[in-house]
Each structure stands twice: as structure tokens, then as C-alpha cells.
Amino acid sequence: ALYYDNKATAYVAYFPYSPEADGITGADIPAALKAQFPPRYDQRTEDAYRASDLLVWSNGTGSVPLKTLEIEFTHAYSSLSLSPSIKCKIDGKETSYTTSSVDDVSFTIGTEPLLPYRADDGSYRIIVSPQTTDARWFCSYKAKTYGGTMPETALAANNRHTLAPTLKDIGAYTFANAQVGDFYCKNDNNEGYLIPGDASLTEAVACIGIVYSTDVNRIGTAATQALKKKGVNTPHGLVMALTNASEGCRWGELRKDENSGGADGEPFKANTDKLQKQYNNVDGYAETHWIIDTYGRDGNTALKNTYTAFYHASRYGTAESSTGKYAAPSKTTGWFIPSMGQWWDILSNLGKIDLTSYRDDTGSYTYISGAAPIAVANMNRYLEKISGATPFSTDTWFWSSSEYNGYNACYVYSYSNGSLYLYYNGKERSVNRVRCSFAF
């Protein structure tokens, strides 16, 4: 608050405000403010960083009373900014990116380590007193320590001194480098390529999904064979779609046990009615296409009206469903509904939920208290980087391609009370959503 005093001629303004400064008096109040509020050594939180960045304005000694103050703050201290980057070749083009995998960042002036704040743009910033000195920086990237000296030795007030060192050149980033969390993109030639999951992204990136598994044993036999027919002899992993194929749809026909005859080679010959079977069922591609091929022969009537989850999956990535920009590249299986085991991989690898203790469980379902908001938040950390992606939320159901029995199909449910359900539901229920997957 400012109060007019018809006798005052000298004014000082500063930010951030602290009641501890109310008693400061003297001829050089800005100097007294700096003496009382030096930059903090640990500025890792935004509050600590802002509190260290003292802004000051003064009109000097003044000569006449003022009714209007034209305040223009200046930074009392100096700012050091570090933006480490990684060099690589993505989709055949040389590029550099800042990375979230950098940690243990610090600056050293003299012998005292200074711990910086990580800004929204990925840079690491520290506020220091103006001085002439050698300032060193240190950081870790994937268990290796890097360091260097800031080129400027005169750290002037009201100046930001920046440095953007290249920590490493990782070369061409190909499918062989695929890791969980990578961003699967496609170029104008409808060819897929990857961006490392710890890379910074821009709105121009043509991302269509997130890699959720690089274990080729989780792709499934039918999907592996489909890739081989397309010339992909060495599969690399599985990708989760950025958006839902449907916001609510039924799985199939109630009371009908798919392939109840148990024909050899068909994906529904055994029901997925145990947790152990849930984990081991990685036949999302086979199950999806068995339903589409079986019920899509009559002009899509049964597929559209009864097996609507699979109908929407068959249309995902097409112009007819307004999802054409997510069309899967030719060297993939194309989109399918993930099986229950592949949903386990999504929840385990992207959601960071430990499901290993349930792999041999012979129970028919389970719920994990407190796991739902954790899984949702962790999966959304990837999705929130992509413009147009649909985030996950609690109190939502998602179908798998896997059948529990004639009455029910398997699903995952993030309950609003915090529990994560690996369960089954009536096939005619239309509250469940569809999030597709493909193998590459």
C-alpha cells in the first residue's frame, strides 16, 4: 500500500514485501535491503527463488513532494541460467533438446554450492549477488556428472547470464532406441519416428501416441505375425493412443461366449477369468480383429450396434471418425483395443503402479487402494505435453479386448475413492471408454 505524505520527497519501493524491512531507515535504504535480504543458497522452490530476486526502485534523495510515483523496478542481483541440452538426430534431422532427465543441478561460486530453481522453460536459474568471480555449474545426466565454467566473470546486477551446454550427442534416435515414455510421431510420408520421452516438445510435433512397452513378448503372436507381413521382422514395442476412440460404448452381446467352441488358434478359446490370465493375455490385436472380422461382414450392423467398442476401434485414425490425423503408419499393426495384459503394461509402465504381486494370483479380480490417482497423474505427465491429447481422470472405465465370460468383459476402472480396479463388467454396459493401441 502507498500513502501520500505531503512532506515526503524521497521514496523507495521493493519486492517481494517483507514486514522485516519495515524498520529499515537510513541514507541508503536499497543497500540496507540487500544486506538484510541476500539471495538464498537453496532456491529449488519457486517461493525461495522469488524471495531471492529482490526488485528495488528509488527516486534518490528527492527535492519536492510527489503525488504520483512512476516506479520502474530493477533487479538488485544477478541471475545465472543453465539450459543443458542433448544433441541427436530425429527423423533424419539434426536437433538439440532440453531434457527432464537432468538432475542434481548446482552452481558453485567460491566453495559454496548453490541449488537453482527449475523454470517452466526447463532452464535452471539461481539469483546471486553481483560480483566478479568464476561461477561453475554441475549436473547429472543418466548417472554421469557434467560440469563447466560460466563464460562471464562479471556478474552484474539486473542481468541474466545464460549458458546452454550440449551434454551429449546420442546420434540417430531410431526404433532400436525405443524406451517406455517415448513419443511416437509420424512424418509427411506417413512414416513413424520417435522422440525421446525426456525431450522438450513443441506444438508442431506430429505425435500420435506414447510408447508403453518395449518388451516384444507383450506384443502378442498375431500382432507379431501381422508386422512380419509388413516387413517388420524385429518388432520394437507398443504405443498407446493420445485420445479415446469412444467416450462410452458396449463391448458385445450379453450371454454370448465368443468362440465357445474353443477352436484352435482363435483368441477367445479360453476366458480371461483370473488375474493370472489377465496378465498373460497379450492378444489385443488378435481379439480385436476376431470380433471385427466375425461381426463386420453384414455391413457393420452387428459390429456397430452390438460390438460398438470394436466398431469405434476399427474407425480410429480415419477421417470418418474425425481422428484422421492419428492414422497409424503402414509399418505398424494399426490400432486395436489393448488386451487386459496390455492394459497392465500401460498401468505398470506409464502409470508406475506395481502389479507384479498379482501376476500369479488366481482370484477373479482385484482393486488396489490409492493407486488410481497415482496412475492417472503419472500417465497424464506424458499426455499433458501433447496438444489435443485427452488426459485420464478418476471415475472412468476402459474396456479391454479380453472376455471374462458370456456375460462380462474385462476392464480397468479408476474409482473416485482412489482404488484402481482390474475387474469385469456386463458386456452391454455402455459407460466404458476405448483407448486404442498399436504395435510397431
Side-chain angles (χ1 to χ4, degrees), residues 82-104:
L82 180 72
S83 297
S85 65
I86 304 300
K87 184 179 179 181
C88 69
K89 185 179 287 186
I90 294 175
D91 192 28
K93 304 178 185 68
E94 293 285 356
T95 187
S96 293
Y97 63 86
T98 57
T99 170
S100 58
S101 294
V102 169
D103 52 21
D104 297 329

Side-chain angles (χ1 to χ4, degrees), residues 22 24 26 35 56 128 137 145 187 193 198 222 225 237 239 276 356 361 401:
D22 288 347
I24 291 179
V56 179
V128 299
W137 60 268
T145 300
N187 58 28
Y193 65 93
D198 63 350
Q225 292 172 347
V239 170
Q276 183 183 60
T356 53
D361 198 317
S401 62

Side-chain angles (χ1 to χ4, degrees), residues 274-353:
K274 305 292 181 186
L275 287 170
Q276 183 183 60
K277 292 181 179 180
Q278 284 189 17
Y279 172 72
N280 290 321
N281 185 341
V282 291
D283 291 326
Y285 175 86
E287 291 174 340
T288 299
H289 282 275
W290 192 90
I291 294 292
I292 293 172
D293 293 344
T294 301
Y295 300 106
R297 298 170 182 165
D298 59 352
N300 273 349
T301 300
L303 191 66
K304 183 176 182 179
N305 297 335
T306 304
Y307 295 86
T308 52
F310 298 89
Y311 170 75
H312 289 297
S314 71
R315 287 162 49 84
Y316 189 72
T318 67
E320 291 79 8
S321 65
S322 300
T323 57
K325 68 178 181 179
Y326 299 121
S330 58
K331 296 292 186 178
T332 71
T333 58
W335 295 107
F336 59 85
I337 300 176
S339 66
M340 202 59 183
Q342 288 160 341
W343 262 114
W344 278 48
D345 294 339
I346 292 172
L347 295 170
S348 299
N349 298 335
L350 296 183
K352 311 298 182 186
I353 302 299

Side-chain angles (χ1 to χ4, degrees), residues 256-271:
K256 183 170 185 178
D257 194 343
E258 303 300 332
N259 192 24
S260 58
D264 289 340
E266 303 293 0
F268 293 108
K269 60 185 177 182
N271 289 328

Side-chain angles (χ1 to χ4, degrees), residues 17-72:
Y17 169 74
S18 173
E20 299 174 22
D22 288 347
I24 291 179
T25 59
D28 193 348
I29 294 179
L33 286 169
K34 289 193 287 184
Q36 184 154 339
F37 303 112
R40 301 181 185 182
Y41 289 109
D42 187 347
Q43 298 177 26
R44 286 174 293 182
T45 67
E46 184 174 5
D47 287 344
Y49 175 75
R50 299 302 179 197
S52 298
D53 190 11
L54 179 64
L55 305 178
V56 179
W57 169 85
S58 171
N59 72 328
T61 57
S63 57
V64 295
L66 300 175
K67 290 185 178 182
T68 301
L69 301 181
E70 295 183 0
I71 296 174
E72 184 176 345

Side-chain angles (χ1 to χ4, degrees), residues 46-326:
E46 184 174 5
D47 287 344
Y49 175 75
R50 299 302 179 197
S52 298
D53 190 11
L54 179 64
L55 305 178
V56 179
W57 169 85
S58 171
N59 72 328
T61 57
S63 57
V64 295
L66 300 175
K67 290 185 178 182
T68 301
L69 301 181
E70 295 183 0
I71 296 174
E72 184 176 345
F73 283 118
T74 59
H75 295 270
Y77 300 126
S78 181
S79 172
L80 306 184
S81 177
L82 180 72
S83 297
S85 65
I86 304 300
K87 184 179 179 181
C88 69
K89 185 179 287 186
I90 294 175
D91 192 28
K93 304 178 185 68
E94 293 285 356
T95 187
S96 293
Y97 63 86
T98 57
T99 170
S100 58
S101 294
V102 169
D103 52 21
D104 297 329
V105 180
S106 65
F107 292 88
T108 299
I109 296 178
T111 60
E112 194 70 41
L114 309 173
L115 304 179
Y117 167 66
R118 188 176 189 275
D120 290 340
D121 63 0
S123 64
Y124 293 85
R125 300 178 184 179
I126 193 80
I127 305 298
V128 299
S129 296
Q131 55 192 292
T132 299
T133 183
D134 289 328
R136 291 188 59 80
W137 60 268
F138 300 91
C139 69
S140 296
Y141 173 70
K142 296 189 175 180
K144 184 176 180 180
T145 300
Y146 298 82
T149 302
M150 301 289 288
E152 297 90 350
T153 57
L155 307 179
N158 204 41
N159 277 269
R160 172 166 292 152
H161 306 279
T162 61
L163 186 63
T166 298
L167 301 183
K168 187 176 182 180
D169 185 347
I170 61 176
Y173 200 81
T174 67
F175 288 151
N177 302 106
Q179 298 181 47
V180 167
D182 284 352
F183 301 94
Y184 189 103
C185 308
K186 66 175 181 177
N187 58 28
D188 293 338
N189 297 321
N190 199 34
E191 299 169 333
Y193 65 93
L194 296 178
I195 291 180
D198 63 350
S200 54
L201 295 179
T202 66
E203 296 296 321
V205 172
C207 181
I208 62 172
I210 311 295
V211 176
Y212 69 86
S213 176
T214 56
D215 184 349
V216 296
N217 296 313
R218 306 295 290 170
I219 292 175
T221 301
T224 301
Q225 292 172 347
L227 288 173
K228 190 168 291 187
K229 291 179 181 178
K230 295 183 175 185
V232 183
N233 294 315
T234 304
H236 300 94
L238 291 154
V239 170
M240 179 190 73
L242 301 179
T243 63
N244 298 332
S246 176
E247 292 302 310
C249 54
R250 56 184 292 155
W251 190 95
E253 184 174 344
L254 187 65
R255 299 185 181 88
K256 183 170 185 178
D257 194 343
E258 303 300 332
N259 192 24
S260 58
D264 289 340
E266 303 293 0
F268 293 108
K269 60 185 177 182
N271 289 328
T272 307
D273 55 3
K274 305 292 181 186
L275 287 170
Q276 183 183 60
K277 292 181 179 180
Q278 284 189 17
Y279 172 72
N280 290 321
N281 185 341
V282 291
D283 291 326
Y285 175 86
E287 291 174 340
T288 299
H289 282 275
W290 192 90
I291 294 292
I292 293 172
D293 293 344
T294 301
Y295 300 106
R297 298 170 182 165
D298 59 352
N300 273 349
T301 300
L303 191 66
K304 183 176 182 179
N305 297 335
T306 304
Y307 295 86
T308 52
F310 298 89
Y311 170 75
H312 289 297
S314 71
R315 287 162 49 84
Y316 189 72
T318 67
E320 291 79 8
S321 65
S322 300
T323 57
K325 68 178 181 179
Y326 299 121

Side-chain angles (χ1 to χ4, degrees), residues 343-404:
W343 262 114
W344 278 48
D345 294 339
I346 292 172
L347 295 170
S348 299
N349 298 335
L350 296 183
K352 311 298 182 186
I353 302 299
D354 186 1
L355 299 176
T356 53
S357 62
Y358 301 97
R359 291 181 180 180
D360 298 319
D361 198 317
T362 56
S364 58
Y365 69 90
T366 191
Y367 62 90
I368 307 166
S369 180
I374 296 173
V376 165
N378 285 331
M379 292 187 293
N380 285 346
R381 286 192 179 96
Y382 298 98
L383 296 172
E384 66 190 11
K385 294 183 179 182
I386 310 298
S387 177
T390 303
F392 288 95
S393 61
T394 54
D395 214 22
T396 53
W397 295 257
F398 283 90
W399 283 124
S400 76
S401 62
S402 307
E403 183 182 47
Y404 180 84

